[in-house]
Amino acid sequence: MISEAIISTHNLNLWYYDIHALQSISMKIPKNQVTALIGPSGCGKSTLLRCFNRLNDLIDCVKISGEILLSSTNIHAPGTDVVQLRKRVGMVFQKPNPFQKSVYENIAYGPRVHGIKDQSELDKIVEKSLRDAALWDEVRDRLDDSALGLSGGQQQRLCIARTLAVEPEVILMDEPCSALDPIATAKIEKLIDTLKREYTVIIVTHNMQQAARVSDYAGFMYLGKLIEFGETTQIFENPHEDLTENYITGRFG
């Protein structure tokens, strides 16, 4: 039973031209939990994820109907400040994408954009964000070095720290470990578990073992539909829908 939802969708539909990519999605994302979206390639997981901070707005051919609420506020309401929305709902992408700047400037960039100029305050934000992303001890002596010199796993944690620097409420992660080795993946998974103390995390993953390890809730999607949503243990151990069971047990996908 979800006690408090931070994001809710009601009859959400999305089209790319004439392709009905998301079909009547209604769900509630619980606050301060990790929710995983699973399903075969092309089922709509990443499309749904991008709806939560309106990144699909950047695609000309997209049409959306239905409702998405962030803490009871409709994110498509007239006058919505999309910049502020993306501050509240941050995104970590599949491949690490650090700016071609120093480690320090990668983290300080977002707070500066949102009006923070005081150097001592920026220093505190940079340190806290890197600590929260479990990266501070590895880069504290490299803050002025290019972020591009970090390893892939370090770059991904840097991108997470960059997201944390603007104090979001929700962190969206689209296959955040797909480009990483097992050791770096384990660090990201451990970090995700820590982050839910302060943030709500929604992760898209093709790796069902990863979904089982890191998430509290899971939604199984197939052909643009949300087939089943519930606690991760229930989804994996006692799915209600045959399609879910078939996917979990490897009969398709």
Side-chain angles (χ1 to χ4, degrees):
M1 188 72 174
I2 296 173
S3 58
E4 183 179 2
I6 190 166
I7 292 177
S8 302
T9 70
H10 303 283
N11 197 31
L12 176 65
N13 291 271
L14 181 144
W15 292 264
Y16 294 113
Y17 292 110
D18 294 328
I19 299 171
H20 199 174
L22 295 178
Q23 302 178 34
S24 302
I25 305 289
S26 295
M27 67 190 307
K28 293 183 178 181
I29 302 292
K31 186 176 182 179
N32 290 113
Q33 301 287 307
V34 179
T35 296
L37 299 176
I38 61 173
S41 296
C43 69
K45 303 183 300 294
S46 293
T47 297
L48 177 59
L49 194 75
R50 291 194 298 267
C51 285
F52 296 145
N53 67 349
R54 289 183 52 173
L55 279 182
N56 290 315
D57 289 13
L58 304 175
I59 305 171
D60 291 338
C61 62
V62 165
K63 182 177 73 172
I64 296 174
S65 69
E67 191 174 56
I68 303 173
L69 303 179
L70 174 62
S71 299
S72 75
T73 301
N74 186 350
I75 69 170
H76 288 102
T80 297
D81 186 331
V82 179
V83 173
Q84 284 299 314
L85 171 65
R86 292 174 186 156
K87 179 179 182 292
R88 295 176 66 189
V89 184
M91 173 73 89
V92 177
F93 294 94
Q94 186 171 3
K95 294 182 180 179
N97 59 342
F99 302 144
Q100 293 185 19
K101 298 174 180 289
S102 69
V103 170
Y104 183 98
E105 289 302 325
N106 264 268
I107 308 301
Y109 178 83
R112 281 201 180 101
V113 167
H114 290 283
I116 296 176
K117 307 298 182 186
D118 181 76
Q119 189 62 48
S120 63
E121 188 174 358
L122 287 171
D123 290 347
K124 291 176 182 177
I125 291 171
V126 169
E127 179 173 347
K128 183 181 187 303
S129 300
L130 290 170
R131 285 189 183 278
D132 288 351
L135 190 57
W136 173 253
D137 290 340
E138 297 172 43
V139 301
R140 61 190 304 172
D141 298 323
R142 303 173 62 184
L143 296 180
D144 294 328
D145 295 350
S146 171
L148 302 181
L150 301 178
S151 70
Q154 289 174 328
Q155 287 186 11
Q156 191 65 304
R157 280 182 284 149
L158 179 72
C159 292
I160 293 171
R162 190 174 66 194
T163 299
L164 300 180
V166 296
E167 300 183 334
E169 298 168 48
V170 180
I171 303 170
L172 310 177
M173 295 186 172
D174 193 357
E175 293 277 359
C177 301
S178 65
L180 305 180
D181 62 50
I183 293 174
T185 295
K187 290 182 178 180
I188 296 291
E189 289 183 359
K190 183 178 179 181
L191 173 59
I192 289 171
D193 187 60
T194 302
L195 289 174
K196 71 179 181 182
R197 298 172 192 169
E198 295 186 51
Y199 310 94
T200 299
V201 180
I202 309 173
I203 179 173
V204 162
T205 179
H206 283 98
N207 186 327
M208 286 189 290
Q209 290 78 18
Q210 181 176 75
R213 286 192 298 266
V214 306
S215 69
D216 304 290
Y217 288 80
F220 168 60
M221 297 186 66
Y222 185 63
L223 298 179
K225 297 180 180 179
L226 181 65
I227 304 300
E228 187 168 353
F229 185 87
E231 293 186 8
T232 299
T233 51
Q234 176 262 307
I235 294 291
F236 278 83
E237 297 174 9
N238 187 31
H240 296 154
E241 302 294 332
D242 289 342
L243 269 175
T244 309
E245 183 176 3
N246 290 340
Y247 183 74
I248 295 294
T249 56
R251 291 176 197 162
F252 77 92

